[in-house]
């Protein structure tokens, strides 16, 4: 093997101690989402290409230029999933999950793949946690999901959170708004960036969230999507806002939030953090309602709402260093001499089986090196074992933060450590 094979561009290894921060975040998601009745679902990382073309939309950036698509050995076109809502909807239909109950609440955690230009917070293999609720068109579900994910970040200490919400209207409002936007933008077509000139025909709503300064200027005067909402969408959007207020969640209505995927109907939202670490990739969470997705993929008419968040960006936004999130050993067993080491190894095994996080020295090194290692690992206690301790049956537990020592019987180690464990 060549010595310099690297991971593919934009696809990163996750090593300890960074993995500790990831796990902590993932566990926080699982714990919180389960409290709201969401259960974990796992779907394949690869799906038929047609699923994304139909589900996400042919003229979206993702489907047009960001998918990892390849033929399998029989020539079927497969795609590494760029997101998971389409896969969840496919699975929901395939297993007729709608027959099991009126509402289905799922969450997922896993890698997604998009061939994107890389920057901090933007990768080609990245990881999302997301939730989907199928079966309810109630605005209270939209608001509950938003309040839940807002609470996730604020409880974890993420600063400067800003929630932006909008409505992109239902199947009747969308064409009306699309036409109003095209009528407004067409006379200024030449001033739009090359991408937006293309979008004008294929996906004009996307022009609203273009980041090119010239386009931002033009769009500032564009008609508002909210003016195009029909009665039903208007009432739905008002209800989302009043539910959010009763949950105590502050938000800003921003009519430029349209989200890049075609399946959204009604509520869309983004949660951002303006704290420094994220750079330009400040969107932590994106989501919204997709009341036509299940039907468009061949299922029964089923409303749905969900969001996805990026774990890489979440971890960048969390306070503290990765090491702060790692579990430290409760005790380090240091040994002097072969007999004591043998005893220490067996004792460590026993204590671990009893549920304690224990480190033990496998190398034949002196006491000083062992204490140094215990300190580096952040062990709270060190227990030193030598011939004297083995023959007297008494050992000393050293509290590393206080520098104090307590003498106890060797066979009371387990109960003593359990008593002192946090
Ligand atoms: P989306 O599926 O595009 O709505 O994205 C939802 C969330 O996933 C974003 O707010 C980001 O936190 C995250 N995300 C999307 N694309 C990437 C990427 N290429 N790299 C890292 N995170 C991403």
């Amino acid at each position: 093997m060549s010595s310099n094979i690297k991971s593919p561009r934009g696809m990163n290894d996750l090593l300890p101690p960074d993995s500790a921060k990831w796990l902590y975040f993932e566990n926080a998601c699982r714990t919180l989402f389960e409290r709201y009745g969401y259960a974990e679902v796992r779907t394949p990382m690869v799906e038929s290409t047609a699923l994304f073309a139909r589900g996400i939309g042919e003229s979206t950036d993702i489907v047009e230029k960001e998918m990892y698509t390849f033929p399998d050995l029989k020539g079927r076109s497969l795609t590494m999933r760029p997101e998971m809502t389409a896969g969840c909807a496919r699975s929901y239909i395939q297993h007729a999950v709608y027959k099991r109950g009126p509402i289905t609440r799922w969450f997922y955690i896993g890698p997604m793949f998009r061939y994107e230009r890389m920057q901090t917070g933007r990768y080609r293999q990245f990881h999302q946690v997301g939730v989907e609720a199928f079966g309810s068109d109630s605005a209270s579900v939209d608001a509950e999901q938003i309040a839940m994910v807002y609470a996730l970040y604020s409880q974890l200490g993420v600063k400067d959170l800003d929630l932006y919400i909008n409505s992109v209207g239902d199947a009747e409002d969308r064409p009306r708004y699309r036409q109003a936007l095209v009528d407004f933008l067409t006379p200024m077509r030449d001033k739009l960036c090359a991408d937006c000139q293309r979008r004008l025909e294929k996906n004009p709503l996307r022009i609203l969230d273009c980041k090119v300064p010239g386009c931002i200027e033009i769009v500032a005067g564009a008609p508002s999507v909210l003016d195009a909402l029909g009665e039903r969408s208007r009432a739905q959007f008002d209800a989302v806002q009043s539910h959010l207020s009763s949950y105590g969640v502050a938000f800003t209505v921003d009519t430029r939030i349209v989200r890049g995927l075609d399946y959204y109907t009604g509520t869309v939202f983004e949660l951002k953090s303006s704290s420094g670490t994220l750079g330009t990739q400040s969107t932590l969470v994106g989501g919204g309602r997709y009341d036509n997705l299940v039907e468009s993929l061949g299922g029964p008419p089923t409303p749905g709402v969900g969001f996805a968040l990026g774990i890489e960006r979440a971890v960048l936004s969390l306070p503290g260093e990765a090491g702060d999130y790692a579990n430290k050993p409760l005790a380090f067993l240091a040994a002097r001499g072969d007999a004591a080491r043998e005893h220490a190894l067996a004792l460590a095994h026993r204590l671990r089986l009893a549920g304690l996080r224990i480190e033990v020295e496998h190398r034949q090194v002196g006491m000083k090196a062992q204490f140094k290692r215990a300190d580096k690992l952040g062990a709270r206690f060190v227990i030193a074992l030598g011939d004297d301790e083995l023959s007297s049956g008494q050992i000393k537990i050293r509290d590393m933060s206080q520098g104090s020592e307590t003498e106890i019987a060797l066979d009371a180690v387990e109960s003593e450590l359990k008593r002192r464990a946090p």
Side-chain angles (χ1 to χ4, degrees):
M1 187 175 119
S2 153
S3 59
N4 43 18
I5 291 178
K6 302 232 170 70
S7 67
R9 234 172 110 69
M11 304 198 179
N12 301 314
D13 298 314
L14 174 64
L15 306 179
D18 294 340
S19 49
K21 209 172 179 182
W22 279 58
L23 263 186
Y24 184 88
F25 179 75
E26 290 173 14
N27 286 338
C29 292
R30 283 178 203 281
T31 309
L32 186 68
F33 298 172
E34 276 169 6
R35 272 191 232 153
Y36 285 80
Y38 290 83
E40 183 164 356
V41 65
R42 298 188 186 186
T43 63
M45 257 175 252
V46 173
E47 298 268 4
S48 291
T49 304
L51 173 67
F52 302 115
R54 272 166 65 189
I56 301 176
E58 297 273 10
S59 60
T60 56
D61 283 356
I62 292 182
V63 173
E64 271 189 344
K65 50 188 187 200
E66 293 175 359
M67 296 206 303
Y68 283 89
T69 296
F70 57 93
D72 74 2
L73 293 179
K74 291 258 169 69
R76 288 171 288 235
S77 182
L78 299 178
T79 293
M80 313 272 293
R81 64 184 184 201
E83 56 95 65
M84 229 174 106
T85 300
C88 286
R90 195 255 324 124
S91 176
Y92 177 81
I93 298 164
Q94 183 172 334
H95 304 285
V97 180
Y98 43 84
K99 290 189 181 153
R100 299 186 195 172
I103 183 157
T104 300
R105 282 168 296 181
W106 285 347
F107 78 87
Y108 59 81
I109 299 184
M112 310 295 154
F113 304 85
R114 295 184 196 170
Y115 198 88
E116 298 207 69
R117 270 192 312 118
M118 265 126 23
Q119 341 173 2
T120 303
R122 184 168 285 280
Y123 312 97
R124 290 182 175 167
Q125 176 178 320
F126 61 99
H127 297 76
Q128 286 187 332
V129 183
V131 311
E132 315 291 355
F134 294 101
S136 169
D137 63 3
S138 171
S140 56
V141 181
D142 311 26
E144 186 180 79
Q145 284 188 353
I146 296 172
M148 174 176 84
V149 75
Y150 191 98
L152 172 74
Y153 288 87
S154 57
Q155 287 187 348
L156 292 174
V158 179
K159 295 273 177 314
D160 306 316
L161 287 174
D162 294 307
L163 171 65
Y164 299 94
I165 64 168
N166 189 23
S167 170
V168 292
D170 61 19
E172 281 171 26
D173 311 331
R174 280 281 271 275
R176 197 168 344 124
Y177 180 60
R178 188 189 151 105
Q179 197 51 51
L181 198 58
V182 171
D183 291 347
F184 171 82
L185 291 170
T186 304
M188 288 173 278
R189 185 175 198 283
D190 296 346
K191 297 203 190 84
L192 295 169
C193 73
D195 272 345
C196 284
Q197 294 195 8
R198 239 175 356 95
R199 289 176 183 141
L200 189 56
E201 271 103 58
K202 291 183 153 182
N203 198 354
L205 261 68
R206 282 309 307 281
I207 300 176
L208 296 177
D209 73 354
C210 179
K211 305 290 180 293
V212 175
C215 297
I216 293 178
E217 216 171 287
I218 292 172
V219 155
S224 163
V225 63
L226 298 180
D227 294 333
L229 296 187
E231 216 170 287
R232 190 186 162 276
S233 300
R234 181 79 250 172
Q236 182 92 2
F237 192 45
D238 288 344
V240 170
Q241 294 179 58
S242 71
H243 286 300
L244 281 176
S245 300
S246 64
Y247 290 128
V249 178
F251 59 88
T252 305
V253 173
D254 181 347
T255 54
R256 283 164 312 173
I257 305 275
V258 291
R259 316 282 312 127
L261 304 89
D262 273 1
Y263 53 61
Y264 287 112
T265 50
T267 316
V268 286
F269 80 94
E270 289 184 358
L271 181 64
K272 302 189 183 204
S273 166
S274 49
S275 76
T277 43
L278 288 164
T280 51
Q281 302 304 312
S282 59
T283 307
L284 295 168
V285 189
R289 197 158 255 295
Y290 46 83
D291 285 347
N292 303 325
L293 177 65
V294 172
E295 191 176 9
S296 77
L297 292 173
T302 308
V305 57
F307 64 75
L309 61 86
I311 303 184
E312 285 81 356
R313 287 185 208 176
V315 165
L316 280 171
S317 74
L318 288 186
E321 301 302 318
D324 304 342
Y325 290 83
N327 285 326
K328 307 274 192 295
L330 178 65
F332 186 100
L333 305 190
R336 194 185 304 110
D338 291 342
R341 184 170 324 101
E342 208 46 52
H343 196 96
L345 290 170
L347 177 60
H349 182 59
R350 239 189 17 250
L351 294 173
R352 287 161 171 166
L353 294 185
L356 302 173
R357 167 103 165 73
I358 304 293
E359 275 293 336
V360 63
E361 185 56 68
H362 285 263
R363 299 170 304 164
Q364 309 195 1
V365 290
M367 273 298 179
K368 206 167 149 205
Q370 296 185 55
F371 268 85
K372 222 167 133 187
R373 192 158 157 252
D375 194 38
K376 191 158 173 225
L377 292 170
R380 276 188 56 203
F381 303 106
V382 175
I383 297 169
L385 281 174
D387 291 341
D388 292 348
E389 284 78 9
L390 291 188
S391 59
S392 70
Q394 292 290 111
I395 50 124
K396 289 199 184 90
I397 295 190
R398 184 179 180 81
D399 184 321
M400 295 295 275
S401 60
Q402 297 178 359
S404 58
E405 280 190 342
T406 326
E407 191 166 294
I408 59 157
L410 185 49
D411 49 20
V413 171
E414 181 182 327
S415 56
E416 181 64 15
L417 284 177
K418 280 194 168 156
R419 196 177 64 77
R420 296 193 188 202

